[in-house]
Amino acid sequence: MSPEKSTTAVVQPEIDETSDARNEARLKIMELANMISIPMALNAVVRLKVAAAIWSSGANTPLTAAEIIPLILPNNPDADADNLARLLRLLTTYGVFSEHPPMAGDGRRRYSLTEVGRTLVPGGGGGGGGGGDGLSYGEYVLQHHQDALVRAWTLVDHAVVGPTSKTPFEVANGEPAYDYYGKNDEMNELMQRAMAGVSVPFMKAIVGGGYDGFDGVGRLVDVGGSAGDCLKMIMSKYSCIKEGINFELPEVVAQAPQIPGVTHVGGDMFKSIPSGDAIFMKWVLTTWSDDEIKLIMKNCYEALPAGGKLIACEPVLPDTSDDSHRTRALLSGDIFVMTIYGAKGRHRMEEEYRQLGISAGFPHFRAVHIDYFFTVLEFQK
């Protein structure tokens, strides 16, 4: 005979709401609940071109909000310097701006750019933005906060509730992100500029000596190479590469500019990939499911000779979670992929990529860490 169940209520200990632990807990949840203020404030200062105004050809002179206003909104009597100052002060706490104490008798805070803020300056501000082509990480910020993308963020729970055949973006906007972009020239152009602004400093690190895997390659295929800019940068450094193949969707390569030594080829990577001594791809695998990646990698394997390489540059998650900037950037990027591009597309850990390579037939694998966000993943046949 089973013992009778106890009907005695469990008395919960009374919570001391005055304790430091509870005060810290309440502060943390308030910060998290209001965290939308941070990307939206960043979006606002990028739209207003505040970083370029402060940088002013390298001067980076600390300015008050009132001094910045006529630089970004000339002849606008309705511009509100006080509200701009509120945005600047918030972003100072996240390392975008440096705050300088008021001068004697002035009472106004002044702001200059940090190394982070300089990435928002067109051309990089000498601090690692988009290089000399007028691009910056500002385009990446703007691309992430367009209306169609913001609508998707209220539906992130759909990625859990399912079915996951549709991303939150598709649920919110009626079609997948890439299809949506394809019908909107302005959105598509912004995405291309955003990807270029992020890619250029990373590619400079690769060709600047951070990676040696292109040595001895004669024919290089860039899968998803857009206009061929990455191929151009690689080939300018490695004279051994006599032929570059920019492999993209037909509608993309149809508008690609002529580049000496580069042939633009339209096609579908899920069907076949042009042959080469090495195949390069950057930020391609992330948005696809494991099964889709296996198909892409098998097509790469079949297009390579013995000893040939697949060189994939992807965000790679750490094995353990912590509160570092790197881990947070990678994990938040993972949720962005899940929400916008593919509910089963994701950032992966290094071992997951190794196993995907093995399943596609690649016996050799190495990871080269050059950049804090991207990792070079080399699969050799």
Side-chain angles (χ1 to χ4, degrees), residues 322-341:
D322 56 43
D323 61 358
S324 67
H325 289 304
R326 179 176 183 270
T327 297
R328 285 178 171 174
L330 288 164
L331 289 174
S332 60
D334 177 49
I335 302 304
F336 180 81
V337 170
M338 179 186 78
T339 302
I340 306 302
Y341 295 121

Side-chain angles (χ1 to χ4, degrees), residues 67-361:
E67 291 169 333
I68 295 170
I69 284 290
L71 300 177
I72 61 174
L73 296 168
N75 305 315
N76 184 345
D78 296 323
D80 194 316
D82 180 60
N83 283 346
L84 174 60
R86 294 161 71 181
L87 297 174
L88 297 174
R89 190 174 188 188
L90 171 63
L91 293 174
T92 292
T93 68
Y94 286 88
V96 180
F97 301 99
S98 291
E99 185 178 273
H100 302 266
M103 296 180 181
D106 187 330
R108 298 180 300 174
R109 304 170 195 265
R110 286 171 167 76
Y111 298 90
S112 60
L113 300 180
T114 62
E115 197 72 19
V116 176
R118 287 168 63 176
T119 67
L120 302 176
V121 178
D133 48 18
L135 298 175
S136 73
Y137 273 61
E139 282 85 2
Y140 187 74
V141 172
L142 296 178
Q143 194 272 330
H144 273 49
H145 302 129
Q146 298 171 95
D147 290 347
L149 280 72
V150 171
R151 283 194 292 270
W153 282 109
T154 62
L155 300 172
V156 174
D157 59 312
H158 180 85
V160 177
V161 175
T164 54
S165 57
K166 290 186 177 181
T167 60
F169 182 98
E170 185 174 356
V171 175
N173 296 288
E175 58 186 326
Y178 288 124
D179 293 345
Y180 194 96
Y181 292 168
K183 297 175 182 178
N184 187 312
D185 292 341
E186 185 176 346
M187 286 186 70
N188 190 55
E189 181 181 346
L190 178 57
M191 183 178 71
Q192 296 298 329
R193 287 178 59 81
M195 295 303 99
V198 171
S199 296
V200 168
F202 172 68
M203 290 304 301
K204 285 182 176 179
I206 285 184
V207 301
Y211 174 66
D212 61 1
F214 295 111
D215 290 333
V217 172
R219 178 182 167 100
L220 179 64
V221 179
D222 186 355
V223 175
S226 191
D229 293 330
C230 289
L231 262 180
K232 184 178 179 180
M233 291 182 70
I234 296 169
M235 293 175 69
S236 68
K237 173 68 175 181
Y238 292 89
S239 59
C240 59
I241 303 175
K242 304 301 182 184
E243 183 179 9
I245 304 297
N246 180 41
F247 184 64
E248 254 289 6
L249 295 171
E251 58 268 28
V252 176
V253 296
Q255 301 179 34
Q258 289 188 347
I259 301 173
V262 173
T263 302
H264 298 293
V265 177
D268 183 346
M269 65 183 175
F270 290 105
K271 295 180 179 178
S272 66
I273 290 172
S275 62
D277 300 318
I279 294 171
F280 177 78
M281 59 178 66
K282 179 177 54 58
W283 226 346
V284 170
L285 300 178
T286 293
T287 58
W288 303 105
S289 68
D290 285 355
D291 288 340
E292 289 166 326
I293 288 178
K294 289 176 184 178
L295 180 54
I296 296 169
M297 295 182 77
K298 284 180 179 178
N299 287 338
C300 289
Y301 183 88
E302 292 172 0
L304 291 167
K309 303 172 190 173
L310 164 60
I311 303 163
C313 306
E314 301 289 340
V316 174
L317 292 175
D319 292 335
T320 57
S321 302
D322 56 43
D323 61 358
S324 67
H325 289 304
R326 179 176 183 270
T327 297
R328 285 178 171 174
L330 288 164
L331 289 174
S332 60
D334 177 49
I335 302 304
F336 180 81
V337 170
M338 179 186 78
T339 302
I340 306 302
Y341 295 121
K344 302 307 291 183
R346 58 194 174 92
H347 292 178
R348 293 167 173 83
M349 291 179 287
E350 190 175 305
E351 182 59 26
E352 292 178 289
Y353 276 115
R354 183 195 304 273
Q355 294 302 322
L356 286 168
I358 291 172
S359 71

